Amino acid sequence: MANSHDIVIIGGGSAGYAAARTAADRGAQVAIVDQGPLGGLCILRGCMPTKTILRTAEIAALMRRVKEFGLSPVDVTAHLEQIVDRKDRLVREFADYRIEQLRDPRYKLYQGAASFLSPNRVRIGSQEVEAKAFVIATGSVPNDISVPGLHETGYLTSDTLLDLRDRPASMVVLGGGPVALEFGQFFARIGTAVTIIQRSPHLLSHLDPDVGSALEQALREEGIVLYTGTALQRVERSGSNKRVTFHHEGREVHADGALILQALGRRPRIDGLALDKAGVAVINGRVAVDDTMRTSQPHIFAAGDVTNLYDIVHIAVQQGELAGFNALQSEGALRSFDSRLVTDVTFTEPQVATVGLSEMACRAGGIPHLAASYPFADHGKAMCRGDRHGFVKLVASPAGGKLLGAQIVGPEAGELIHELIAVMYYHGTVADLLRMPHYHPTLAEIITYPAETLAERIGLP
């Protein structure tokens, strides 16, 4: 006999737990299936451990600049094993709290891998479980990229690099996205010689080129070797090192390192789910969903990285809440995901934060827009802090000045972006940004400068 529940959530990470909590709050009998380790990607291998180690690198980098601020120079030596120990302690605390939540009596927790037997039944080990509705929230795993010699030579991913306890003398990073850049800068700041190889013409290729260029300048000044617009050719051993060969600007180039970090993206974790038996469509390796998070099977929903829409935790939570709500709804009463306020932060230094539409997205979608930017190098508070890299850019509608999006490259960008999220949430304009008081001197007042430029160009009072 199969155990029966109102809804089964497959995956206990950020999206899965949000779906389970939402469904339980609505009175459903909820089961959670997680093959472990319990805690979810964000806590165990993503946001929390990476931001913990990045804080150490930020402090080290600032200490090396003390002479600039009139202080006596200090010798900064990083001890990777101690950095990892601190990271592990914090992750354990975060994970223990999540595990306590998953084991709440409101839920039935099954620890094991789920595999669909039919659209209404899954197998978990020796048990069978059936439900009226399902939410798939199994997350993602590192991409398996085909580069000749890469597997034979050996590499690390963001999942395995976090456990490294001996600082490598050198490292080659494949990729120019957030994961590649955060790890690359971290290791460079603790004394590793880092080379970053990006296939696209600029870093953070999903954003406007000027964003990637500003960050590239800052990383180069820290001593990181950067190549953009490359084509990977092969990987092989070179003495005690590993060698990556690639084409760059019409010639063959190679980079050597003690380690290779393969940071060329992640893919949905769907292996073993037997989604074909559930009648769930998979498109280009991802679980296909509509804006209600419903899959091709009406009673099965999906949320988070497994949909491959956004690899961002707060969005996974939003999607999980939607999926948990909609899975219990009758037809015609479903809520939809609003992508208007999609926000992303890369925790390099300078940080990169974006919300809404970029210039690139507006051009691709044929959306009328105006943009204006202002550099931190000419902003008083940033100059006092010694933060000269980056800019704030606003994108607005030419008709009325409604704020469509924003990009910030600079100090505390991840915090500053929230003012712009709030204004956009209420469908505000660049004129609203000017009417709001901004304390002087603060980093936040830089937002008013591009807002003023746009207001003048649009003709707003």
Side-chain angles (χ1 to χ4, degrees):
M1 293 286 293
N3 295 329
S4 182
H5 304 275
D6 292 331
I7 184 169
V8 170
I9 315 295
I10 305 175
S14 298
Y17 179 69
R21 184 189 64 238
T22 301
D25 287 346
R26 303 192 68 229
Q29 185 188 20
V30 180
I32 302 172
V33 184
D34 195 304
Q35 68 182 50
L38 297 179
L41 177 64
C42 169
I43 291 174
L44 299 177
R45 295 291 175 190
C47 312
M48 307 317 290
T50 57
K51 282 23 170 201
T52 300
I53 66 173
L54 288 177
R55 178 58 175 162
T56 297
E58 290 170 4
I59 294 171
L62 189 58
M63 290 174 68
R64 292 190 180 100
R65 294 176 58 193
V66 295
K67 189 176 181 181
E68 175 185 338
F69 298 95
L71 303 174
S72 298
V74 293
D75 182 26
V76 182
T77 303
H79 302 282
L80 185 56
E81 69 281 2
Q82 295 176 26
I83 298 171
V84 172
D85 284 343
R86 177 175 181 266
K87 177 264 294 181
D88 288 345
R89 286 195 303 272
L90 287 169
V91 167
R92 187 72 265 153
E93 290 180 24
F94 300 138
D96 285 346
Y97 180 64
R98 172 55 53 81
I99 292 169
E100 182 182 338
Q101 292 175 314
L102 293 173
R103 290 178 173 160
D104 187 293
R106 296 198 301 168
Y107 315 117
K108 170 64 177 177
L109 177 62
Y110 295 92
Q111 291 188 245
S115 179
F116 278 96
L117 298 172
S118 71
N120 291 93
R121 184 173 292 207
V122 294
R123 182 188 300 281
I124 308 161
S126 61
Q127 301 182 80
E128 293 187 13
V129 176
E130 63 182 16
K132 302 170 186 174
F134 292 84
V135 175
I136 302 167
T138 47
S140 64
V141 294
N143 264 334
D144 187 11
I145 300 298
S146 178
V147 179
L150 180 60
H151 284 280
E152 294 80 1
T153 306
Y155 61 90
L156 297 175
T157 68
S158 57
D159 284 0
T160 54
L161 190 64
L162 282 164
D163 294 327
L164 193 67
R165 303 183 71 85
D166 294 318
R167 180 183 61 80
S170 55
M171 174 184 293
V172 178
V173 180
L174 306 182
V179 172
L181 301 180
E182 288 178 7
F183 273 113
Q185 188 176 49
F186 167 76
F187 276 96
R189 286 180 160 187
I190 67 169
T192 298
V194 173
T195 301
I196 296 176
I197 302 171
Q198 161 73 326
R199 294 174 294 182
S200 298
H202 61 88
L203 301 180
L204 300 175
S205 58
H206 61 297
L207 303 178
D208 289 341
D210 54 355
V211 172
S213 296
L215 181 56
E216 182 178 338
Q217 180 183 352
L219 295 178
R220 288 187 189 280
E221 288 183 14
E222 289 195 17
I224 295 174
V225 178
L226 269 165
Y227 294 93
T228 58
T230 69
L232 296 174
Q233 297 300 301
R234 62 186 179 275
V235 180
E236 59 200 338
R237 291 200 168 272
S238 176
S240 59
N241 283 331
K242 301 175 181 184
R243 171 168 291 179
V244 179
T245 300
F246 53 97
H247 282 154
H248 179 253
E249 296 181 347
R251 62 190 180 94
E252 191 171 88
V253 183
H254 65 260
D256 292 358
L259 294 177
I260 294 174
L261 169 61
Q262 192 275 85
L264 296 170
R266 300 178 69 88
R267 62 179 177 84
R269 185 182 184 181
I270 59 174
D271 297 344
L273 280 175
L275 294 176
D276 56 326
K277 295 181 180 179
V280 172
V282 175
I283 299 176
N284 295 326
R286 70 177 185 89
V287 178
V289 293
D290 61 18
D291 60 3
T292 70
M293 311 316 298
R294 173 177 270 169
T295 70
S296 57
Q297 190 65 265
H299 67 288
I300 300 178
F301 292 73
D305 286 4
V306 77
T307 69
N308 203 32
L309 296 175
Y310 309 98
D311 54 350
I312 302 169
V313 172
H314 78 275
I315 292 179
V317 171
Q318 291 175 357
Q319 292 179 341
E321 291 170 346
L322 268 179
F325 179 88
N326 287 340
L328 302 177
Q329 287 295 98
S330 60
E331 191 63 45
L334 303 184
R335 297 175 179 172
S336 298
F337 178 74
D338 180 7
S339 61
R340 188 173 63 89
L341 299 177
V342 166
T343 304
D344 195 6
V345 180
T346 300
F347 290 90
T348 47
E349 194 172 12
Q351 293 181 5
V352 177
T354 67
V355 61
L357 295 174
S358 64
E359 288 188 273
M360 189 165 62
C362 287
R363 285 192 292 267
I367 299 171
H369 66 284
L370 292 173
S373 62
Y374 197 87
F376 278 100
D378 194 41
H379 180 56
K381 182 62 182 290
M383 295 165 69
C384 294
R385 289 168 50 106
D387 292 317
R388 66 188 187 281
H389 288 291
F391 57 87
V392 172
K393 179 166 62 173
L394 304 181
V395 180
S397 169
K402 181 179 177 180
L403 193 60
L404 301 176
Q407 295 87 48
I408 304 177
V409 185
E412 305 295 345
E415 308 297 330
L416 294 175
I417 199 70
H418 286 81
E419 175 182 343
L420 299 167
I421 296 172
V423 170
M424 287 181 62
Y425 179 85
Y426 289 106
H427 299 273
T429 68
V430 291
D432 291 319
L433 284 170
L434 293 175
R435 296 186 187 107
M436 295 164 51
H438 288 78
Y439 196 88
H440 174 78
T442 62
L443 290 173
E445 64 181 335
I446 192 176
I447 291 169
T448 64
Y449 304 144
E452 184 173 7
T453 298
L454 287 172
E456 291 174 352
R457 290 171 64 185
I458 296 168
L460 298 175

